[in-house]
Amino acid sequence: MSDIGAIVRDIAREMAAVAQRGRVADYIPPLAEVDPARFGIAVVEADGACHLAGDADMPFSIQSVSKVFSLTLALGKVGDALWQRVGREPSGSAFNSIVQLETESGIPRNPFINAGAIVVSDVVLAGHQPREAIAEILRFTRALAGDDAIFVDEHVAQAEQGTGFRNAALANYMRAFGNLRHPVEQALGVYFHQCAIAMSCRQLALAGRYLMLAGRSPATGGSVISAARARRINALMMTCGHYDGSGEFAYRVGLPGKSGVGGGILAIAPARASIAVWSPGLNERGNSEIGTIALERLVQRTGWSVFGPSY
Ligand code: GLU
């Protein structure tokens, strides 16, 4: 048996020495202030063993990783009817691309590109004031992690609100096609606040346990979603979780994963581990440069790729 704790500590040491660390996102001003030298990793195994290294307890902006939690909530609310409003195919386009929306009549390709996540926010909003919908997403995330210290970074949310012109364009465009039911400002308000949730690698890996454990959460003691739904969310993370870098991530890492422009990645080794890595520098596709290398090494050393062993 490999010693996962030792592997995690070795990887953190190796990542500290990597010189090419990517570029920190600067289109959301507070994200540009984060130190690119940061690196954290947390691995929670199926038996509950938790291995941490580097800045594993430092909160960062989870950004698009939140789309996994909001999708889970939306599926719980409306079930498979969601798929009439959002597709399930990789986009091959950037996270904030508008091009496919025109030819595809305002139906986003998948729930992880920004347009798809804004529709998901609109679904979570149903029957709520925006403030309540944000509180529901936060409550759900805290329950999954078993940690009430998780918070929405209001400074980041406001910065996104002030600079999110592309997201506003996507939302308005979909509203014109009738694929947003609430006022654009409300759907965007929910979306920006969920992206502004701050979590540490430890909290994120704990929150992801239901995806490793066929829908069950040790934090709540029960079933969060069905096993079939957990499997399908993992499938979407594999095919769409890294935008137009999803093929490359599957090739290099071979795990369902969701990235965010804050530099975090949640990756799931089904039945084995829930993994969170964080390093703020991004590659040209907007995914964490060092985080991806760290996951690649973790999978090489543990043999956890869903596609087979590495030796
Ligand atoms: N809040 C970010 C945006 O909408 C999320 C993008 C990401 O993390 O990929 O631009």
Side-chain angles (χ1 to χ4, degrees):
M1 270 321 269
S2 350
D3 179 348
I4 306 297
I7 293 174
V8 164
R9 286 189 296 277
D10 282 351
I11 290 174
R13 206 171 312 117
E14 292 161 20
M15 293 306 102
V18 179
Q20 299 289 338
R21 305 189 75 83
R23 282 197 49 201
V24 175
D26 54 9
Y27 74 102
I28 302 170
L31 298 187
E33 293 161 15
V34 184
D35 178 1
R38 296 281 175 205
F39 173 80
I41 179 167
V43 176
V44 179
E45 294 188 85
D47 65 3
C50 181
H51 311 282
L52 309 172
D55 300 309
D57 277 314
M58 181 169 288
F60 60 91
S61 191
I62 67 166
Q63 291 294 318
S64 285
V65 183
S66 66
K67 294 171 182 174
V68 174
F69 307 130
S70 57
L71 171 65
T72 305
L73 259 184
L75 284 170
K77 281 178 187 293
V78 299
D80 288 340
L82 179 71
W83 306 122
Q84 287 157 19
R85 296 175 59 188
V86 188
R88 299 194 295 259
E89 292 294 342
S91 69
S93 306
F95 64 98
N96 56 5
S97 171
I98 201 165
V99 287
Q100 284 162 350
L101 276 181
E102 173 153 36
T103 47
E104 297 175 2
S105 309
I107 310 285
R109 273 284 173 98
N110 67 65
F112 293 149
I113 52 174
N114 287 9
I118 293 167
V119 172
V120 169
S121 300
D122 191 65
V123 169
V124 176
L125 245 178
H128 287 307
Q129 291 303 315
R131 190 183 299 272
E132 294 163 357
I134 294 161
E136 186 178 5
I137 296 171
L138 182 61
R139 204 164 42 238
F140 182 57
T141 307
R142 285 174 167 174
L144 291 173
D147 191 338
D148 283 345
I150 295 166
F151 64 100
V152 172
D153 185 333
E154 202 50 50
H155 180 49
V156 172
Q158 293 310 324
E160 287 210 56
Q161 209 116 31
T163 57
F165 304 113
R166 282 189 82 109
N167 288 321
L170 295 170
N172 277 293
Y173 207 65
M174 292 190 291
R175 174 96 188 189
F177 280 103
N179 200 15
L180 280 194
R181 310 280 152 81
H182 299 85
V184 162
E185 317 70 66
Q186 292 192 5
L188 285 175
V190 173
Y191 172 73
F192 290 140
H193 279 80
Q194 76 170 55
C195 287
I197 292 176
M199 292 171 83
S200 65
C201 288
R202 181 207 296 264
Q203 292 166 331
L204 194 53
L206 288 170
R209 286 175 293 179
Y210 72 107
L211 295 170
M212 115 169 106
L213 298 172
R216 284 174 292 106
S217 168
T220 63
S223 174
V224 180
I225 46 169
S226 68
R229 205 159 263 165
R231 176 167 52 77
R232 290 171 177 149
I233 293 174
N234 282 335
L236 288 165
M237 288 169 72
M238 178 69 88
T239 52
C240 311
H242 281 69
Y243 312 117
D244 45 343
S246 299
E248 182 71 9
F249 186 81
Y251 181 85
R252 285 174 58 186
V253 176
L255 295 178
K258 182 73 204 84
S259 68
V261 291
I265 302 175
L266 172 65
I268 305 297
R272 292 183 152 145
S274 173
I275 306 150
V277 290
W278 169 56
S279 180
L282 308 178
N283 62 24
E284 68 288 354
R285 309 261 193 241
N287 303 311
S288 177
E289 175 84 29
I290 301 289
T292 308
I293 297 172
L295 286 171
E296 201 173 14
R297 295 201 183 172
L298 180 70
V299 162
Q300 273 163 9
R301 291 171 200 178
T302 55
W304 282 347
S305 164
V306 302
F307 298 114
S310 353
Y311 32 80

